[in-house]
């Protein structure tokens, strides 16, 4: 089998395959970090966040005890705080899906598979080209007499045209594949940005809002501890 890719492209191919495996595993693990299945709308997600279950439990406790009880008042304030935390987390997960999971999904399920599909197509075209070259070579070696010289010569010309056409298809496919592979590697920094920068940008504000909610609840309870 003829290898038409350069050493540089073969190295890029190996790197892309490594990126595929790593991205697939990362995407899979990120999905397990979600507290609610991917694709759930923020309102429905809010209700399904485990913190919301805790909030509802505390609200029921407050309803049972009333606001004339210190514990009842504590449960009411904490229930409100947990509900707010659940809402912030629901919004955070939706944004993480948009900024991180969706691009990773596109990378794993669209970008890399398209390159792999082209690579398989190139392999098929190379096999066709090799077969055409063999047929042409064998026909050239055919011994012929004066009676069939014209027929054999015509067949040789026909096989040469098939060989050249097959070779042109290989070159076209190879050029397109090389272009897509180089384009992919040029965007590797963008793919890394989805996880490192985008995820970090979304996580920091969430932590800040959570601290604000906790501090607000502590202030309502007149807690003696220092706000976080």
């Amino acid at each position: 089998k003829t290898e038409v890719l350069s050493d540089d492209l073969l190295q890029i191919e190996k790197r892309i395959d490594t990126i595929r495996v790593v991205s697939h595993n990362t995407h899979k693990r990120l999905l397990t970090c979600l507290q609610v299945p991917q694709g759930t709308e923020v309102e429905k997600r809010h209700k399904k966040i485990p913190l919301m279950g805790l909030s509802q439990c505390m609200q029921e406790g407050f309803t049972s005890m009333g606001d004339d009880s210190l514990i009842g008042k504590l449960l009411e304030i904490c229930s409100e705080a947990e509900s707010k935390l659940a809402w912030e987390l629901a919004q955070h997960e939706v944004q993480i899906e948009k900024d991180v999971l969706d691009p990773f999904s596109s990378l794993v399920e669209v970008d890399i598979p398209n390159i792999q599909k082209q690579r398989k197509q190139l392999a098929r075209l190379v096999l066709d080209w090799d077969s055409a070259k063999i047929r042409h070579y064998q026909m050239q070696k055919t011994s012929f007499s004066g009676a069939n010289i014209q027929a054999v010569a015509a067949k040789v010309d026909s096989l040469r045209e098939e060989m050249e056409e097959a070779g042109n298809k290989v070159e076209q496919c190879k050029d397109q594949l090389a272009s897509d592979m180089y384009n992919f590697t040029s965007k590797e920094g963008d793919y890394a940005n989805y996880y490192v920068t985008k995820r970090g940008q979304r996580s920091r504000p969430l932590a800040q809002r959570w601290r604000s909610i906790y501090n607000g609840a502590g202030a309502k309870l007149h807690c003696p501890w220092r706000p976080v």
Side-chain angles (χ1 to χ4, degrees):
K1 178 183 176 181
T2 303
E3 180 55 72
V4 296
L5 294 182
S6 65
D7 291 341
D8 185 33
L9 287 174
L10 290 174
Q11 289 298 319
I12 292 177
E13 182 181 28
K14 291 180 181 179
R15 184 171 183 80
I16 289 176
D17 188 60
T18 301
I19 292 174
R20 177 189 63 81
V21 174
V22 172
S23 299
H24 173 76
N25 292 338
T26 302
H27 181 263
K28 185 177 180 180
R29 288 297 180 181
L30 279 172
L31 284 176
T32 64
C33 293
L34 297 179
Q35 298 194 27
V36 179
Q38 185 180 13
T40 306
E41 295 179 355
V42 65
E43 290 80 7
K44 293 181 179 179
R45 186 183 295 269
H46 177 223
K47 296 177 181 179
K48 294 181 179 180
I49 292 286
L51 284 174
M52 196 59 194
L54 176 60
S55 172
Q56 292 171 347
C57 179
M58 289 178 169
Q59 182 62 37
E60 292 171 0
F62 162 69
T63 301
S64 298
M65 301 191 69
D67 57 4
D68 56 344
S69 165
L70 178 59
I71 294 179
K73 188 63 177 177
L74 169 69
L75 290 173
E76 179 187 26
I77 294 174
C78 289
S79 172
E80 180 183 358
E82 295 298 336
S83 178
K84 290 180 179 179
L85 291 173
W87 176 253
E88 293 293 342
L89 183 56
Q91 289 184 309
H92 174 71
E93 287 196 352
V94 168
Q95 203 62 48
I96 286 295
E97 285 186 16
K98 178 182 177 182
D99 292 343
V100 181
L101 286 171
D102 287 350
F104 259 100
S105 179
S106 177
L107 173 67
V108 173
E109 299 176 6
V110 179
D111 297 346
I112 293 179
N114 283 343
I115 292 177
Q116 292 176 321
K117 183 178 179 180
Q118 281 190 313
R119 185 65 171 102
K120 291 179 180 179
Q121 174 66 11
L122 178 61
R124 287 192 292 268
L125 291 175
V126 168
L127 288 177
D128 292 342
W129 186 33
D130 286 344
S131 296
K133 287 189 290 185
I134 291 173
R135 290 195 301 272
H136 178 256
Y137 176 73
Q138 290 175 339
M139 183 57 65
Q140 282 184 315
K141 292 179 62 177
T142 300
S143 299
F144 48 84
S145 61
N148 62 6
I149 185 172
Q150 292 182 343
V152 173
K155 185 63 175 178
V156 169
D157 289 340
S158 176
L159 290 175
R160 184 180 65 254
E161 291 178 359
E162 289 183 14
M163 179 183 66
E164 291 174 350
E165 182 180 356
N168 290 335
K169 290 181 179 179
V170 168
E171 286 299 316
Q172 291 174 0
C173 185
K174 183 190 72 172
D175 290 344
Q176 183 61 52
L177 175 61
S179 175
D180 290 345
M181 291 172 73
Y182 282 124
N183 183 55
F184 179 89
T185 56
S186 70
K187 294 180 179 179
E188 188 173 337
D190 295 335
Y191 294 128
N193 179 63
Y194 291 139
Y195 182 73
V196 178
T197 305
K198 292 291 187 180
R199 190 171 185 275
Q201 288 175 345
R202 297 303 175 188
S203 298
R204 286 191 295 271
L206 175 66
Q208 293 170 356
R209 290 194 294 270
W210 275 33
R211 281 197 297 270
S212 177
I213 292 171
Y214 274 123
N215 291 338
K220 288 182 180 180
L221 291 170
H222 304 290
C223 291
W225 64 74
R226 179 183 300 177
V228 294

